[in-house]
Amino acid sequence: MDKLVNWLQKHLNPIAQKLNENIWLGAVRDGFFGSTSILIIGSMFLLFANLPISGYAQFMSSIFGKNWQIFFNVPYNMTMNIMSIYVLVGMAKSLAHSLKVDDVQAIILSFAVLFILNPTIINKQKIEGIALPSIGASGIFLTIVVTLLTVKMYSVFVKKNWRIKMPDSVPAMVSDSFTAMIPGTVAMLIAISIRILVSMTSFSTVQGFVLKIIQTPLLNIGSSFGATIIVEFLEAFIFTFGIHGPNIINSVMQPIWLTLTAENSSAFHAGKVLPHIMNLQFDANYLKLGGTGTTIGLAILCAYFAHSKQIKTLGKLSIVPSIFNINEPLIFGLPIVLNPILMLPFAFSTIVFISLSWFITSIGWLPIANGTNIPFTTPPIIAGFLISGWRGAVWNIIEIILSILWYYPFFKIIDRNTLKSENSKI
């Protein structure tokens, strides 16, 4: 065991460190994390417009009229349906800080290039604009590429001193604006050239090119059963060696899963069939009850069924965080980390709960998560109800029972061993 642990730590720690220190992944991560609160708020308005409660729609119609849902759809459209805008701000700001350039100019230049590359539409009244899907979930990967490349190019110009220099007496805000003129001009010339060239191809727009060549293949992989099994298992497995799996995996997978959530949300809003079983809410609310490894059952066993004082005390300390899907007290306190009795059930629980949740969703018993982007700390049962109605709540209850049964044999071994150790010290 020691040799395996040493080998894993030797090879995984450098990878984890590089991923955490990578400024490009960090910028993407910060962009999504930074916009999380506003996206959650917007998703909640969509939920209010579609609460799965009998008689709710009729009650709201009697108060606000037959078009009452419009009031809730506006906040949703101005958050989830333009999510790329919010993500861009966080990404550009984070990367600008890492590259040590002015973040305001980095954000402005990124917006300019993104808007040039996005297709425009004209209605019958000849009013021109950008379609919401272009700056929503469908445009997220174009936004990521544009922002990272634009900010990097801006930093190159600044560091190479290819800029308009102003006298020292000029205020910094004015000087920074002139600093961005040359890189901004070049960036926009490149953007309009790309737009012209792509318009001559079968893709028609840059958005169409990115969607077909990059975004759709990535989403297809990220939403597949096989990829989900591999990713979730790796996340739990490396956690058993004390390396925070969710932090590593989420930096890569969260942009994909959140995009899948947004596409489900758009379909739900439009009354269409929801396209993706796998998304951020499926991950957080059906695969991680109590935290990674679906440890809520283990927390309940420790708190209410342990004979060992040590484990019972730890269980009581862990039960409240577990209700909010935080299980570090169990992982490092019980511990699960480097514990040969609990490592395997913890890692393989991901395969069990993914397979079960995926199966009952695929046969239609459990509704696909509706795209409501609730916080990962939303307690089970409530979470299931919010994203899949009453059947989601029932499935969460069943999962809690299954989690108890899954961990029970291993819990008994740990409890007996710890109790024996306690009695030997008396």
Side-chain angles (χ1 to χ4, degrees), residues 66-86:
K66 63 180 181 179
N67 295 321
W68 64 274
Q69 288 180 317
I70 292 175
F71 301 121
F72 295 103
N73 289 338
V74 170
Y76 168 78
N77 286 331
M78 294 302 104
T79 51
M80 286 295 292
N81 269 356
I82 58 171
M83 63 182 294
S84 293
I85 298 295
Y86 301 110

Side-chain angles (χ1 to χ4, degrees), residues 288-346:
K288 292 175 180 172
L289 277 72
T292 302
T294 317
T295 56
I296 191 164
L298 182 60
I300 292 170
L301 289 168
C302 291
Y304 301 108
F305 297 96
H307 293 93
S308 161
K309 290 183 180 179
Q310 177 184 328
I311 291 181
K312 184 175 282 290
T313 300
L314 178 67
K316 290 180 179 178
L317 292 173
S318 301
I319 193 67
V320 173
S322 291
I323 291 172
F324 297 97
N325 301 318
I326 297 169
N327 62 352
E328 276 78 359
L330 277 178
I331 290 173
F332 297 102
L334 194 54
I336 294 172
V337 171
L338 300 180
N339 187 330
I341 297 172
L342 290 174
M343 287 172 70
L344 288 180
F346 179 81

Side-chain angles (χ1 to χ4, degrees), residues 9 59 108 277:
Q9 288 183 338
F59 171 75
I108 292 172
I277 292 178

Side-chain angles (χ1 to χ4, degrees), residues 125-170:
Q125 289 75 37
K126 295 185 178 181
I127 298 174
E128 190 172 2
I130 296 175
L132 288 185
S134 297
I135 49 178
S138 297
I140 196 67
F141 281 87
L142 177 61
T143 302
I144 291 172
V145 172
V146 164
T147 304
L148 298 182
L149 292 179
T150 301
V151 177
K152 177 59 179 177
M153 192 190 77
Y154 173 50
S155 74
V156 170
F157 273 71
V158 171
K159 289 172 183 178
K160 296 279 187 182
N161 222 16
W162 298 338
R163 52 180 171 162
I164 297 174
K165 292 184 179 180
M166 302 297 290
D168 294 338
S169 58
V170 175

Side-chain angles (χ1 to χ4, degrees), residues 99-274:
L99 296 175
K100 295 179 172 55
V101 293
D102 181 54
D103 56 355
V104 174
Q105 295 304 318
I107 293 169
I108 292 172
L109 289 182
S110 297
F111 271 128
V113 174
L114 179 66
F115 290 147
I116 289 171
L117 291 175
N118 263 301
T120 51
I121 56 173
I122 302 176
N123 66 7
K124 292 180 179 179
Q125 289 75 37
K126 295 185 178 181
I127 298 174
E128 190 172 2
I130 296 175
L132 288 185
S134 297
I135 49 178
S138 297
I140 196 67
F141 281 87
L142 177 61
T143 302
I144 291 172
V145 172
V146 164
T147 304
L148 298 182
L149 292 179
T150 301
V151 177
K152 177 59 179 177
M153 192 190 77
Y154 173 50
S155 74
V156 170
F157 273 71
V158 171
K159 289 172 183 178
K160 296 279 187 182
N161 222 16
W162 298 338
R163 52 180 171 162
I164 297 174
K165 292 184 179 180
M166 302 297 290
D168 294 338
S169 58
V170 175
M173 186 179 296
V174 177
S175 179
D176 288 339
S177 297
F178 278 89
T179 296
M181 285 188 68
I182 293 178
T185 301
V186 173
M188 285 189 272
L189 284 173
I190 293 173
I192 195 62
S193 299
I194 292 173
R195 178 169 180 151
I196 292 170
L197 290 172
V198 174
S199 69
M200 299 176 183
T201 70
S202 60
F203 297 109
S204 183
T205 66
V206 178
Q207 179 74 268
F209 172 81
V210 172
L211 194 63
K212 186 171 183 179
I213 302 300
I214 300 176
Q215 183 164 329
T216 301
L218 280 176
L219 293 181
N220 287 340
I221 294 170
S223 63
S224 69
F225 176 74
T228 303
I229 286 281
I230 293 170
V231 166
E232 297 287 355
F233 176 78
L234 286 175
E235 178 182 303
F237 181 69
I238 62 179
F239 216 162
T240 63
F241 293 91
I243 300 168
H244 205 287
N247 283 353
I248 297 172
I249 298 298
N250 286 344
S251 64
V252 177
M253 296 304 299
Q254 188 176 41
I256 295 174
W257 288 340
L258 185 56
T259 303
L260 296 173
T261 293
E263 290 189 355
N264 275 14
S265 180
S266 297
F268 183 70
H269 178 237
K272 298 179 181 178
V273 176
L274 304 186

